[in-house]
Amino acid sequence: MKWRPPTTSCPERYTETGVEAGFEESVRSWARARRLHLHRVLYAAPEAFSAAVADLYRQWLRGAGKTGNRLVVESGRLLDPTQVLRAGLVPYWCETPASRAANALCWWLAGSTTFSSIDVMVDGFGVPTASTANPSQWHAAARFGARRAHVDPAATNLGMFPLPVRHATGVLRGQAADLPPPAPLRPEAAMEAIGECAATPAILVC
């Protein structure tokens, strides 16, 4: 007997990384009722948006007189925005620990002003796959750091069990503080900076 895939009740492409159908229109209605301007950011791949946000953070930190020279590469659920702000780090997020994500990170680093230090935290897929980046790819990315190139030893867990979310907090607590954080960015300024970043061909702000 031939297997038939089950029917779905949600629009195509709405998965664990999407939102409920109708959510966007509800937000637009809420914004219109309060006379607020709503921005929509479209990007061809997660890597493009990650690069844009990292460039934005660096510009924001440097505008406040900080160096913006320490990069932390986060992955999947392994992130802690509070610790990133406390330490004055530039965050770059990889959706998954895939070879594609590692390669995109290296290409972005190759075209960016050199970072003095790069720390990489990589989560596991949960199961081994052919698309998982091997540790040498993450070490290659970290070596773009001029003075520090560090890959969290837990990266050897690639393809095995995912790490607990608290692991990111434990790792980032070891970073030196750079307080106080800069004044918050205005939304309009943030959207303008994202639209003008190096990844502009892959990003649309509307």
Side-chain angles (χ1 to χ4, degrees):
M1 184 175 181
K2 195 172 181 180
W3 181 80
R4 294 181 180 178
T7 58
T8 58
S9 59
C10 61
E12 185 180 358
R13 298 178 61 190
Y14 278 86
T15 62
E16 69 276 7
T17 58
V19 296
E20 291 290 335
F23 175 78
E24 181 182 349
E25 185 51 43
S26 295
V27 172
R28 287 188 181 280
S29 297
W30 180 87
R32 280 194 299 268
R34 291 160 179 77
R35 297 183 179 180
L36 299 174
H37 186 66
L38 183 67
H39 291 283
R40 190 179 187 198
V41 181
L42 306 174
Y43 46 89
E47 297 81 15
F49 188 61
S50 294
V53 171
D55 287 338
L56 171 62
Y57 260 78
R58 196 174 207 184
Q59 177 183 324
W60 176 54
L61 290 168
R62 289 186 167 181
K66 299 177 183 292
T67 65
N69 274 346
R70 293 187 294 153
L71 178 74
V72 59
V73 179
E74 302 169 308
S75 169
R77 303 165 304 117
L78 290 184
L79 47 85
D80 188 330
T82 300
Q83 296 298 329
V84 166
L85 290 174
R86 178 195 63 81
L89 302 174
V90 174
Y92 181 102
W93 181 72
C94 295
E95 182 181 28
T96 66
S99 288
R100 186 189 76 174
N103 290 339
L105 170 62
C106 286
W107 278 109
W108 174 71
L109 286 168
S112 299
T113 304
T114 303
F115 286 91
S116 60
S117 73
I118 298 178
D119 285 82
V120 180
M121 287 190 301
V122 188
D123 201 3
F125 269 137
V127 293
T129 72
S131 63
T132 305
N134 59 59
S136 65
Q137 289 177 274
W138 299 112
H139 283 284
R143 281 195 291 273
F144 277 93
R147 293 200 300 269
R148 173 180 166 83
H150 183 260
V151 177
D152 179 33
T156 56
N157 200 35
L158 286 173
M160 302 298 286
F161 297 106
L163 295 166
V165 177
R166 67 178 181 275
H167 180 75
T169 300
V171 171
L172 294 179
R173 274 179 181 160
Q175 293 280 353
D178 189 6
L179 295 171
L185 268 175
R186 292 183 299 104
E188 294 294 335
M191 292 299 101
E192 182 179 352
I194 287 176
E196 293 177 350
C197 77
T200 296
I203 293 181
L204 174 65
V205 178
C206 53

mmCIF file of all heavy atoms in Angstrom, residues 21-53:
data_model
loop_
_atom_site.group_PDB
_atom_site.id
_atom_site.type_symbol
_atom_site.label_atom_id
_atom_site.label_comp_id
_atom_site.label_asym_id
_atom_site.label_seq_id
_atom_site.Cartn_x
_atom_site.Cartn_y
_atom_site.Cartn_z
ATOM 1 N N ALA A 21 -0.911 31.758 11.422
ATOM 2 C CA ALA A 21 -1.527 32.490 10.315
ATOM 3 C C ALA A 21 -2.425 33.588 10.890
ATOM 4 O O ALA A 21 -3.189 33.374 11.828
ATOM 5 C CB ALA A 21 -2.346 31.523 9.462
ATOM 6 N N GLY A 22 -2.326 34.769 10.331
ATOM 7 C CA GLY A 22 -3.130 35.885 10.801
ATOM 8 C C GLY A 22 -2.447 36.734 11.848
ATOM 9 O O GLY A 22 -2.932 37.832 12.187
ATOM 10 N N PHE A 23 -1.319 36.258 12.380
ATOM 11 C CA PHE A 23 -0.627 37.025 13.429
ATOM 12 C C PHE A 23 -0.157 38.371 12.896
ATOM 13 O O PHE A 23 -0.327 39.411 13.558
ATOM 14 C CB PHE A 23 0.565 36.226 13.959
ATOM 15 C CG PHE A 23 1.404 36.981 14.957
ATOM 16 C CD1 PHE A 23 0.988 37.130 16.264
ATOM 17 C CD2 PHE A 23 2.615 37.559 14.584
ATOM 18 C CE1 PHE A 23 1.751 37.837 17.184
ATOM 19 C CE2 PHE A 23 3.384 38.266 15.494
ATOM 20 C CZ PHE A 23 2.957 38.399 16.799
ATOM 21 N N GLU A 24 0.431 38.367 11.692
ATOM 22 C CA GLU A 24 0.956 39.620 11.133
ATOM 23 C C GLU A 24 -0.153 40.658 10.947
ATOM 24 O O GLU A 24 0.009 41.825 11.308
ATOM 25 C CB GLU A 24 1.651 39.370 9.797
ATOM 26 C CG GLU A 24 2.229 40.638 9.180
ATOM 27 C CD GLU A 24 2.871 40.405 7.823
ATOM 28 O OE1 GLU A 24 3.067 39.241 7.440
ATOM 29 O OE2 GLU A 24 3.153 41.410 7.134
ATOM 30 N N GLU A 25 -1.291 40.228 10.413
ATOM 31 C CA GLU A 25 -2.391 41.174 10.199
ATOM 32 C C GLU A 25 -2.929 41.697 11.526
ATOM 33 O O GLU A 25 -3.309 42.865 11.646
ATOM 34 C CB GLU A 25 -3.506 40.516 9.402
ATOM 35 C CG GLU A 25 -4.638 41.459 9.021
ATOM 36 C CD GLU A 25 -4.152 42.752 8.356
ATOM 37 O OE1 GLU A 25 -3.250 42.686 7.487
ATOM 38 O OE2 GLU A 25 -4.650 43.839 8.722
ATOM 39 N N SER A 26 -2.937 40.833 12.556
ATOM 40 C CA SER A 26 -3.383 41.286 13.883
ATOM 41 C C SER A 26 -2.453 42.360 14.433
ATOM 42 O O SER A 26 -2.898 43.349 15.017
ATOM 43 C CB SER A 26 -3.436 40.094 14.849
ATOM 44 O OG SER A 26 -4.410 39.164 14.442
ATOM 45 N N VAL A 27 -1.135 42.170 14.228
ATOM 46 C CA VAL A 27 -0.169 43.160 14.696
ATOM 47 C C VAL A 27 -0.345 44.470 13.934
ATOM 48 O O VAL A 27 -0.283 45.569 14.508
ATOM 49 C CB VAL A 27 1.271 42.627 14.536
ATOM 50 C CG1 VAL A 27 2.294 43.725 14.836
ATOM 51 C CG2 VAL A 27 1.505 41.440 15.457
ATOM 52 N N ARG A 28 -0.577 44.357 12.613
ATOM 53 C CA ARG A 28 -0.774 45.566 11.807
ATOM 54 C C ARG A 28 -2.016 46.335 12.277
ATOM 55 O O ARG A 28 -2.012 47.558 12.365
ATOM 56 C CB ARG A 28 -0.899 45.199 10.332
ATOM 57 C CG ARG A 28 0.414 44.769 9.699
ATOM 58 C CD ARG A 28 0.278 44.598 8.188
ATOM 59 N NE ARG A 28 1.546 44.174 7.621
ATOM 60 C CZ ARG A 28 2.568 44.998 7.356
ATOM 61 N NH1 ARG A 28 2.447 46.290 7.599
ATOM 62 N NH2 ARG A 28 3.686 44.531 6.848
ATOM 63 N N SER A 29 -3.078 45.609 12.570
ATOM 64 C CA SER A 29 -4.306 46.252 13.051
ATOM 65 C C SER A 29 -4.067 46.945 14.388
ATOM 66 O O SER A 29 -4.527 48.069 14.626
ATOM 67 C CB SER A 29 -5.425 45.210 13.193
ATOM 68 O OG SER A 29 -5.734 44.652 11.944
ATOM 69 N N TRP A 30 -3.340 46.274 15.264
ATOM 70 C CA TRP A 30 -3.019 46.845 16.576
ATOM 71 C C TRP A 30 -2.214 48.127 16.401
ATOM 72 O O TRP A 30 -2.461 49.131 17.078
ATOM 73 C CB TRP A 30 -2.234 45.812 17.385
ATOM 74 C CG TRP A 30 -1.848 46.269 18.759
ATOM 75 C CD1 TRP A 30 -2.585 46.170 19.908
ATOM 76 C CD2 TRP A 30 -0.607 46.897 19.141
ATOM 77 N NE1 TRP A 30 -1.895 46.704 20.973
ATOM 78 C CE2 TRP A 30 -0.669 47.153 20.527
ATOM 79 C CE3 TRP A 30 0.534 47.255 18.437
ATOM 80 C CZ2 TRP A 30 0.370 47.749 21.227
ATOM 81 C CZ3 TRP A 30 1.580 47.861 19.134
ATOM 82 C CH2 TRP A 30 1.492 48.103 20.509
ATOM 83 N N ALA A 31 -1.212 48.109 15.479
ATOM 84 C CA ALA A 31 -0.364 49.289 15.248
ATOM 85 C C ALA A 31 -1.173 50.440 14.638
ATOM 86 O O ALA A 31 -1.012 51.604 15.037
ATOM 87 C CB ALA A 31 0.801 48.918 14.341
ATOM 88 N N ARG A 32 -2.053 50.107 13.677
ATOM 89 C CA ARG A 32 -2.863 51.156 13.046
ATOM 90 C C ARG A 32 -3.764 51.837 14.059
ATOM 91 O O ARG A 32 -3.932 53.069 14.049
ATOM 92 C CB ARG A 32 -3.696 50.567 11.908
ATOM 93 C CG ARG A 32 -2.934 50.356 10.606
ATOM 94 C CD ARG A 32 -3.891 50.106 9.463
ATOM 95 N NE ARG A 32 -4.693 48.914 9.665
ATOM 96 C CZ ARG A 32 -4.356 47.698 9.216
ATOM 97 N NH1 ARG A 32 -3.229 47.533 8.525
ATOM 98 N NH2 ARG A 32 -5.133 46.665 9.438
ATOM 99 N N ALA A 33 -4.338 51.052 14.954
ATOM 100 C CA ALA A 33 -5.253 51.603 15.951
ATOM 101 C C ALA A 33 -4.542 52.582 16.887
ATOM 102 O O ALA A 33 -5.168 53.483 17.450
ATOM 103 C CB ALA A 33 -5.894 50.478 16.762
ATOM 104 N N ARG A 34 -3.238 52.411 17.042
ATOM 105 C CA ARG A 34 -2.452 53.273 17.941
ATOM 106 C C ARG A 34 -1.569 54.255 17.172
ATOM 107 O O ARG A 34 -0.713 54.909 17.750
ATOM 108 C CB ARG A 34 -1.600 52.396 18.868
ATOM 109 C CG ARG A 34 -2.452 51.634 19.870
ATOM 110 C CD ARG A 34 -1.731 50.437 20.451
ATOM 111 N NE ARG A 34 -2.566 49.747 21.429
ATOM 112 C CZ ARG A 34 -3.577 48.942 21.088
ATOM 113 N NH1 ARG A 34 -3.892 48.756 19.814
ATOM 114 N NH2 ARG A 34 -4.288 48.349 22.027
ATOM 115 N N ARG A 35 -1.776 54.301 15.841
ATOM 116 C CA ARG A 35 -1.018 55.200 14.967
ATOM 117 C C ARG A 35 0.485 54.984 15.095
ATOM 118 O O ARG A 35 1.281 55.925 15.154
ATOM 119 C CB ARG A 35 -1.375 56.656 15.258
ATOM 120 C CG ARG A 35 -2.841 56.974 14.968
ATOM 121 C CD ARG A 35 -3.149 58.438 15.195
ATOM 122 N NE ARG A 35 -4.556 58.729 14.894
ATOM 123 C CZ ARG A 35 -5.109 59.931 15.010
ATOM 124 N NH1 ARG A 35 -4.368 60.955 15.418
ATOM 125 N NH2 ARG A 35 -6.378 60.115 14.714
ATOM 126 N N LEU A 36 0.867 53.731 15.143
ATOM 127 C CA LEU A 36 2.280 53.358 15.211
ATOM 128 C C LEU A 36 2.728 52.822 13.859
ATOM 129 O O LEU A 36 1.944 52.216 13.130
ATOM 130 C CB LEU A 36 2.504 52.274 16.279
ATOM 131 C CG LEU A 36 2.143 52.663 17.721
ATOM 132 C CD1 LEU A 36 2.272 51.449 18.630
ATOM 133 C CD2 LEU A 36 3.030 53.793 18.208
ATOM 134 N N HIS A 37 3.993 53.052 13.529
ATOM 135 C CA HIS A 37 4.533 52.562 12.264
ATOM 136 C C HIS A 37 5.109 51.166 12.471
ATOM 137 O O HIS A 37 5.908 50.951 13.382
ATOM 138 C CB HIS A 37 5.610 53.503 11.733
ATOM 139 C CG HIS A 37 6.097 53.129 10.375
ATOM 140 N ND1 HIS A 37 5.291 53.181 9.254
ATOM 141 C CD2 HIS A 37 7.301 52.688 9.950
ATOM 142 C CE1 HIS A 37 5.979 52.788 8.201
ATOM 143 N NE2 HIS A 37 7.214 52.479 8.604
ATOM 144 N N LEU A 38 4.720 50.231 11.640
ATOM 145 C CA LEU A 38 5.189 48.853 11.759
ATOM 146 C C LEU A 38 6.168 48.549 10.631
ATOM 147 O O LEU A 38 5.880 48.788 9.458
ATOM 148 C CB LEU A 38 3.999 47.893 11.686
ATOM 149 C CG LEU A 38 4.315 46.411 11.860
ATOM 150 C CD1 LEU A 38 4.791 46.131 13.279
ATOM 151 C CD2 LEU A 38 3.082 45.563 11.536
ATOM 152 N N HIS A 39 7.337 48.051 10.980
ATOM 153 C CA HIS A 39 8.337 47.668 9.992
ATOM 154 C C HIS A 39 8.265 46.163 9.734
ATOM 155 O O HIS A 39 8.003 45.373 10.636
ATOM 156 C CB HIS A 39 9.748 48.005 10.477
ATOM 157 C CG HIS A 39 10.012 49.476 10.552
ATOM 158 N ND1 HIS A 39 10.268 50.242 9.439
ATOM 159 C CD2 HIS A 39 10.059 50.317 11.615
ATOM 160 C CE1 HIS A 39 10.468 51.488 9.800
ATOM 161 N NE2 HIS A 39 10.334 51.562 11.120
ATOM 162 N N ARG A 40 8.533 45.798 8.513
ATOM 163 C CA ARG A 40 8.606 44.386 8.144
ATOM 164 C C ARG A 40 9.991 44.138 7.546
ATOM 165 O O ARG A 40 10.404 44.841 6.623
ATOM 166 C CB ARG A 40 7.534 44.051 7.116
ATOM 167 C CG ARG A 40 7.380 42.565 6.849
ATOM 168 C CD ARG A 40 6.280 42.337 5.829
ATOM 169 N NE ARG A 40 5.979 40.934 5.650
ATOM 170 C CZ ARG A 40 5.335 40.444 4.613
ATOM 171 N NH1 ARG A 40 4.919 41.249 3.652
ATOM 172 N NH2 ARG A 40 5.091 39.146 4.521
ATOM 173 N N VAL A 41 10.727 43.166 8.105
ATOM 174 C CA VAL A 41 12.065 42.846 7.615
ATOM 175 C C VAL A 41 12.014 41.481 6.940
ATOM 176 O O VAL A 41 11.708 40.469 7.572
ATOM 177 C CB VAL A 41 13.095 42.835 8.765
ATOM 178 C CG1 VAL A 41 14.490 42.531 8.223
ATOM 179 C CG2 VAL A 41 13.090 44.170 9.503
ATOM 180 N N LEU A 42 12.299 41.468 5.649
ATOM 181 C CA LEU A 42 12.318 40.234 4.874
ATOM 182 C C LEU A 42 13.773 39.896 4.539
ATOM 183 O O LEU A 42 14.551 40.782 4.167
ATOM 184 C CB LEU A 42 11.513 40.394 3.579
ATOM 185 C CG LEU A 42 10.064 40.880 3.739
ATOM 186 C CD1 LEU A 42 9.440 41.126 2.374
ATOM 187 C CD2 LEU A 42 9.240 39.881 4.539
ATOM 188 N N TYR A 43 14.147 38.633 4.684
ATOM 189 C CA TYR A 43 15.522 38.252 4.367
ATOM 190 C C TYR A 43 15.535 36.881 3.701
ATOM 191 O O TYR A 43 14.693 36.022 3.950
ATOM 192 C CB TYR A 43 16.415 38.269 5.604
ATOM 193 C CG TYR A 43 15.831 37.612 6.832
ATOM 194 C CD1 TYR A 43 16.015 36.258 7.089
ATOM 195 C CD2 TYR A 43 15.088 38.364 7.750
ATOM 196 C CE1 TYR A 43 15.494 35.661 8.222
ATOM 197 C CE2 TYR A 43 14.547 37.776 8.885
ATOM 198 C CZ TYR A 43 14.762 36.427 9.112
ATOM 199 O OH TYR A 43 14.223 35.846 10.230
ATOM 200 N N ALA A 44 16.540 36.702 2.834
ATOM 201 C CA ALA A 44 16.627 35.482 2.036
ATOM 202 C C ALA A 44 17.060 34.282 2.859
ATOM 203 O O ALA A 44 16.703 33.144 2.545
ATOM 204 C CB ALA A 44 17.603 35.693 0.875
ATOM 205 N N ALA A 45 17.836 34.509 3.909
ATOM 206 C CA ALA A 45 18.336 33.415 4.754
ATOM 207 C C ALA A 45 18.635 33.965 6.140
ATOM 208 O O ALA A 45 18.937 35.160 6.283
ATOM 209 C CB ALA A 45 19.597 32.807 4.139
ATOM 210 N N PRO A 46 18.572 33.130 7.187
ATOM 211 C CA PRO A 46 18.859 33.608 8.546
ATOM 212 C C PRO A 46 20.228 34.260 8.658
ATOM 213 O O PRO A 46 20.413 35.205 9.417
ATOM 214 C CB PRO A 46 18.776 32.328 9.391
ATOM 215 C CG PRO A 46 17.939 31.385 8.601
ATOM 216 C CD PRO A 46 18.222 31.695 7.165
ATOM 217 N N GLU A 47 21.196 33.753 7.882
ATOM 218 C CA GLU A 47 22.559 34.278 7.952
ATOM 219 C C GLU A 47 22.613 35.760 7.564
ATOM 220 O O GLU A 47 23.401 36.533 8.118
ATOM 221 C CB GLU A 47 23.499 33.473 7.054
ATOM 222 C CG GLU A 47 23.650 32.011 7.458
ATOM 223 C CD GLU A 47 22.506 31.131 6.967
ATOM 224 O OE1 GLU A 47 21.747 31.589 6.082
ATOM 225 O OE2 GLU A 47 22.390 29.987 7.462
ATOM 226 N N ALA A 48 21.793 36.155 6.609
ATOM 227 C CA ALA A 48 21.781 37.554 6.174
ATOM 228 C C ALA A 48 21.301 38.465 7.300
ATOM 229 O O ALA A 48 21.885 39.531 7.551
ATOM 230 C CB ALA A 48 20.891 37.720 4.937
ATOM 231 N N PHE A 49 20.249 38.045 7.991
ATOM 232 C CA PHE A 49 19.729 38.860 9.090
ATOM 233 C C PHE A 49 20.700 38.875 10.264
ATOM 234 O O PHE A 49 20.892 39.908 10.918
ATOM 235 C CB PHE A 49 18.365 38.336 9.528
ATOM 236 C CG PHE A 49 17.665 39.224 10.522
ATOM 237 C CD1 PHE A 49 17.337 40.528 10.195
ATOM 238 C CD2 PHE A 49 17.348 38.758 11.790
ATOM 239 C CE1 PHE A 49 16.696 41.362 11.109
ATOM 240 C CE2 PHE A 49 16.704 39.576 12.707
ATOM 241 C CZ PHE A 49 16.379 40.880 12.365
ATOM 242 N N SER A 50 21.352 37.735 10.532
ATOM 243 C CA SER A 50 22.334 37.673 11.619
ATOM 244 C C SER A 50 23.481 38.640 11.359
ATOM 245 O O SER A 50 23.947 39.337 12.272
ATOM 246 C CB SER A 50 22.883 36.250 11.759
ATOM 247 O OG SER A 50 21.874 35.363 12.191
ATOM 248 N N ALA A 51 23.947 38.695 10.120
ATOM 249 C CA ALA A 51 25.032 39.608 9.764
ATOM 250 C C ALA A 51 24.590 41.053 9.940
ATOM 251 O O ALA A 51 25.349 41.893 10.441
ATOM 252 C CB ALA A 51 25.475 39.358 8.327
ATOM 253 N N ALA A 52 23.359 41.353 9.529
ATOM 254 C CA ALA A 52 22.848 42.720 9.650
ATOM 255 C C ALA A 52 22.749 43.141 11.107
ATOM 256 O O ALA A 52 23.113 44.270 11.476
ATOM 257 C CB ALA A 52 21.483 42.817 8.974
ATOM 258 N N VAL A 53 22.265 42.256 11.965
ATOM 259 C CA VAL A 53 22.126 42.579 13.388
ATOM 260 C C VAL A 53 23.506 42.739 14.035
ATOM 261 O O VAL A 53 23.719 43.638 14.856
ATOM 262 C CB VAL A 53 21.307 41.497 14.112
ATOM 263 C CG1 VAL A 53 21.340 41.710 15.629
ATOM 264 C CG2 VAL A 53 19.859 41.505 13.618
#
